[in-house]
RNA sequence: GCCGAGAUAGUCUAGCCCGGAAAGGCGGUGGCCUUGAAAGCCACUGGUGUUUCACCUCAGGAGUUCAAAUCUCCUUCUCGGCGCCA
């Protein structure tokens, strides 16, 4: 959410942003009401403080009188009446503050960066970067899920039997690939100064509400643990990585703080239905992900936004997956939290379309204000606690990645190996075998053996890499 | 899960029994001094506000009271001891 102080001092900026997003009159009216309530609230606070002041003074007088062995009954009469008055005024104030908070949490959204394009919906997102050559299949492709089952790399029916629709089992090389992709992302990010974090997979309601406003939808989006005040996390960046520092103050010297959150697994109830590949690995109840998360000083956040995107791009380039990057427009899926958001969309040959697999956002101060996370600036006494900026970007979400690989692979059908798109990069990292495993047959076998050896002996693996 | 002891500012700690303005050390910031630095000395160092002043704050919440870090109850977490368990 935006700082109250900011809204109070810059109502026109807030209104202009709502208008840019195509905001309606109702929301603009809410802003006016919010500003009015803010004035009211501060007046009430002053009244309350005056009464508290009086109470404190009387208390002190009683103390002094008792010390001097004087009669205190004269003071007690007024003293006894005050607490009730104060309580009443406090209750009234709380009601007004509750409304302010309500508005503050729902409107206004974050102030958009000037480079965010205006558009009605996702079709008007602006593509500004493309890498790799999308494969256009010359014959009908098979569903990646089917193919995986056929090759003994996944199970859907047995997963459904024990867990329900939307679940899967990864087997054999596919299970290993899933882990290897996470490992790859952590290696790349680790070299670049990101600290790997494995967070708890459950979070209590209070912490979750600090992170995101799900309203009444809480139970529909997330899995709740019966009999416990715990929810399975839906993603790693918001819940643990953002909430872990809530109500804390950073020392300037600790910024920027760069984290690589490993969230096996993320749990989601809502997965929707996605056309031809509904069955498979693209949208599931449970998936694995490595997420970049950064806390930084405001002046650094735009450069870091580009850095996060570059990290994600580098990983996808190592994997040889063609993708494009779009700048999400005002009517797209930009949400209320991000000031600017890039999506990386990977090419899905079967659908002959780019599909979102990475979402990279600069949330500026919006999240940190809501979570009450601040930075201490010892040198700036005017603005002792400048707002902190937060950013997040997917590094890999493994099942969507798998699906991308499979899309590519299914284009080759049973005709054999497909050379990695970026062999040099992969070879350097000894990751080429991964892609070859995916090609599913013949010449890949030798490299596959190499992969197993390396994978099962991570120390040797590290030595070979250097 | 049971029993016991705890939670005080960036950090370490005093205050709690016996209710009456949160004391001090370290660390940090600024200043004096110095060619420069160290040492020493001085000031500031929980939060908010309409900032000579006021209010809030002692893990969180509720209660008793004119008045709660302090008394009572509940919750959370930490540390011991016991039990259970991969």
């Amino acid at each position: 959410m935006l700082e109250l102080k900011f809204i109070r001092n810059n109502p026109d900026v807030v209104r202009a942003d709502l208008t840019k997003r195509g905001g309606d009159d109702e929301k603009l009216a809410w802003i006016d009401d919010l500003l009015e309530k803010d004035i009211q609230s501060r007046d009430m606070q002053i009244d309350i403080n005056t009464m508290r002041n009086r109470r404190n003074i009387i208390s002190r007088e009683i103390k002094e009188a008792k010390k001097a062995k004087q009669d205190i009954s004269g003071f007690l009469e007024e003293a006894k009446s005050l607490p009730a008055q104060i309580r009443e005024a406090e209750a009234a104030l709380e009601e007004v503050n509750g409304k302010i908070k309500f508005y503050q949490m729902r409107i206004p959204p974050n102030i958009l960066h000037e480079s965010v394009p205006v558009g009605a919906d996702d079709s008007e997102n602006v593509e500004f970067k493309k890498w790799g050559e999308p494969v256009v299949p010359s014959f009908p492709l098979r569903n990646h899920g089917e193919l995986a089952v056929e090759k003994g790399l996944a199970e859907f029916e047995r997963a459904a039997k024990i867990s329900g629709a939307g679940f899967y089992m990864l087997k054999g090389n596919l299970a290993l690939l899933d882990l290897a992709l996470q490992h790859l992302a952590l290696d790349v990010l680790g070299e670049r100064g990101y600290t790997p974090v494995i967070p708890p997979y459950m979070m209590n309601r209070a912490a979750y509400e600090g992170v995101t406003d799900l309203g009444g939808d809480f139970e529909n989006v997330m899995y709740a643990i019966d009999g416990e005040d715990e929810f399975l996390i839906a993603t790693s960046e918001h819940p643990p990585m953002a909430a872990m520092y809530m109500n804390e103050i950073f020392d300037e010297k600790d910024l920027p703080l760069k984290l690589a959150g490993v969230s096996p697994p993320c749990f989601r109830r809502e997965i929707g239905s996605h056309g031809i590949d509904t069955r498979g690995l693209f949208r599931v109840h449970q998936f694995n992900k490595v997420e970049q998360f950064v806390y930084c000083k405001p002046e650094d956040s735009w450069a870091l936004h580009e850095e996060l995107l570059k990290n994600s791009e580098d990983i996808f380039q190592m994997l040889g997956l063609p993708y494009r990057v779009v700048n999400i427009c005002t009517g797209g899926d930009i949400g209320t939290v991000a000031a600017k958001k890039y999506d990386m969309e990977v090419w899905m040959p079967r659908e002959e379309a780019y599909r979102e697999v990475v979402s990279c956002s600069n949330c500026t101060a919006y999240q940190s204000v809501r979570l009450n996370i601040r930075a201490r600036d010892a040198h700036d006494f005017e603005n002792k606690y400048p707002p902190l900026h937060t950013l997040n970007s997917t590094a890999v979400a493994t099942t969507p990645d798998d699906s991308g690989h499979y899309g590519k692979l299914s284009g080759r059908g049973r005709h054999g190996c497909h050379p990695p798109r970026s062999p040099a990069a992969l070879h350097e990292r000894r990751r080429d075998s991964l892609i070859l495993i995916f090609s599913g047959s013949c010449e890949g076998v030798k490299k596959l053996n190499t992969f197993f050896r390396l994978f099962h002996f991570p120390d040797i693996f590290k030595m070979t890499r250097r």
Side-chain angles (χ1 to χ4, degrees):
Chain A
M1 64 191 186
L2 297 178
E3 279 183 295
L4 204 48
K5 209 189 293 176
F6 178 87
I7 302 172
R8 185 186 302 145
N9 296 335
N10 307 279
D12 292 338
V13 174
V14 174
R15 288 194 190 97
D17 190 78
L18 270 176
T19 308
K20 182 179 178 183
R21 289 170 176 269
D24 47 64
D25 290 344
E26 192 191 0
K27 284 188 175 170
L28 288 169
W30 279 0
I31 301 282
D32 293 334
D33 199 27
L34 189 156
L35 290 167
E36 202 175 297
K37 290 263 182 332
D38 177 45
I39 292 168
Q40 202 182 332
S41 159
R42 285 188 293 158
D43 285 345
M44 291 166 87
Q45 187 67 58
I46 289 163
D47 287 346
I48 289 172
N49 282 353
T50 309
M51 283 190 272
R52 283 170 173 169
N53 181 222
R54 180 73 196 137
R55 179 194 60 195
N56 292 346
I57 288 169
I58 292 182
S59 275
R60 259 169 268 160
E61 282 171 347
I62 290 173
K63 184 181 80 171
E64 295 303 323
K66 276 174 103 170
K67 218 187 248 174
K69 309 252 187 238
Q70 288 167 359
D71 179 35
I72 59 165
S73 57
F75 294 122
L76 277 182
E77 197 177 324
E78 186 184 358
K80 276 182 195 292
S81 71
L82 273 169
Q85 286 177 40
I86 292 172
R87 250 196 300 276
E88 201 177 311
E90 280 172 342
L93 175 65
E94 203 161 311
E95 203 187 317
V96 173
N97 283 345
K99 276 194 185 127
I100 290 173
K101 192 89 183 188
F102 176 88
Y103 287 144
Q104 207 185 347
M105 302 255 258
R106 282 158 189 80
I107 47 119
N110 202 354
I111 304 298
L112 296 171
H113 191 254
E114 55 187 10
S115 64
V116 173
V118 175
D121 55 47
D122 277 322
S123 68
E124 296 191 54
N125 292 342
V126 177
E127 173 189 312
F128 69 97
K129 204 182 270 187
K130 235 178 182 165
W131 185 90
E133 281 169 41
V135 177
V136 179
S138 56
F139 52 90
L141 300 181
R142 298 176 61 197
N143 174 288
H144 73 271
E146 266 175 47
L147 204 54
V149 171
E150 186 183 296
K151 292 190 177 299
L153 295 172
E155 299 245 12
F156 295 99
E157 286 179 17
R158 293 200 175 91
K161 178 169 72 182
I162 62 169
S163 305
F167 291 93
Y168 57 91
M169 287 172 173
L170 300 183
K171 291 166 47 181
N173 292 338
L174 191 50
L176 296 175
L177 177 69
D178 191 288
L179 293 172
L181 284 168
Q182 295 176 52
H183 198 149
L184 170 68
L186 290 174
D187 277 352
V188 171
L189 293 173
E191 281 168 6
R192 300 180 185 189
Y194 291 72
T195 305
V197 178
I198 298 182
Y201 306 145
M202 297 180 202
M203 242 170 56
N204 62 37
R205 183 183 281 262
Y208 230 119
E209 280 176 343
V211 184
T212 169
D213 177 41
L214 292 168
D217 242 15
F218 217 80
E219 277 80 7
N220 290 327
V221 179
M222 274 178 309
Y223 289 103
I225 306 295
D226 194 26
E228 303 277 341
D229 178 34
E230 299 285 354
F231 295 83
L232 295 174
I233 60 172
T235 173
S236 71
E237 75 272 23
H238 292 171
M241 309 248 281
M244 66 190 283
Y245 289 107
M246 80 195 261
N247 298 321
E248 294 193 33
I249 298 175
F250 274 94
D251 271 333
E252 211 185 341
K253 65 175 163 55
D254 297 328
L255 298 172
L257 181 70
K258 300 178 178 182
L259 305 174
V262 189
S263 41
C266 298
F267 300 97
R268 297 199 182 165
R269 291 183 77 135
E270 285 294 309
I271 53 175
S273 189
H274 291 80
I276 60 171
D277 278 339
T278 292
R279 175 137 194 211
L281 299 166
F282 194 67
R283 288 289 183 252
V284 285
H285 283 308
Q286 174 189 325
F287 59 95
N288 301 332
K289 194 159 83 137
V290 174
E291 182 81 20
Q292 310 173 63
F293 196 95
V294 173
Y295 292 93
C296 71
K297 292 191 273 183
E299 60 266 33
D300 299 333
S301 75
W302 292 109
L304 280 161
H305 190 218
E306 301 300 323
E307 178 181 313
L308 294 190
L309 178 65
K310 177 153 197 321
N311 292 339
S312 302
E313 281 192 66
D314 287 349
I315 290 167
F316 277 77
Q317 289 184 14
M318 286 171 190
L319 297 171
L321 294 172
Y323 63 84
R324 65 172 196 156
V325 186
V326 297
N327 186 358
I328 304 294
C329 73
T330 53
D333 191 23
I334 196 163
T336 55
V337 178
K340 185 178 181 181
K341 187 189 229 176
Y342 296 136
D343 272 4
M344 271 178 67
E345 301 177 334
V346 86
W347 178 253
M348 303 279 169
R350 193 165 130 87
E351 296 177 49
E352 293 184 39
Y354 286 100
R355 294 278 297 272
E356 182 218 329
V357 290
V358 165
S359 183
C360 176
S361 305
N362 183 353
C363 302
T364 58
Y366 202 80
Q367 261 180 344
S368 58
V369 168
R370 179 170 186 138
L371 288 162
N372 190 28
I373 300 173
R374 292 174 292 175
R376 189 188 310 278
D377 187 341
H379 302 279
D380 184 356
F381 289 100
E382 287 300 305
N383 187 21
K384 241 167 128 183
Y385 299 103
L388 203 59
H389 283 195
T390 60
L391 305 100
N392 63 77
S393 174
T394 319
V396 289
T398 58
T399 49
D401 280 354
D402 293 354
S403 161
H405 282 286
Y406 257 114
K408 202 163 75 178
L409 136 73
S410 58
R412 305 291 152 182
R414 39 190 89 104
H415 299 304
C417 301
H418 170 41
R421 200 155 283 278
S422 170
L426 285 161
H427 186 72
E428 195 181 290
R429 313 198 118 259
R430 298 281 191 266
R431 296 287 179 179
D432 43 353
S433 46
L434 303 188
I435 297 297
L436 290 167
I437 292 165
F438 259 81
S439 328
S441 56
C442 58
E443 297 107 84
V445 170
K446 241 188 234 166
K447 298 237 176 185
L448 204 145
N449 288 337
T450 311
F451 166 71
F452 278 131
R453 209 176 59 236
L454 296 176
F455 193 85
H456 288 294
F457 299 97
D459 290 336
I460 297 172
F461 172 73
K462 281 229 164 79
M463 281 164 56
T464 350
R465 266 189 56 213
R466 302 276 168 212

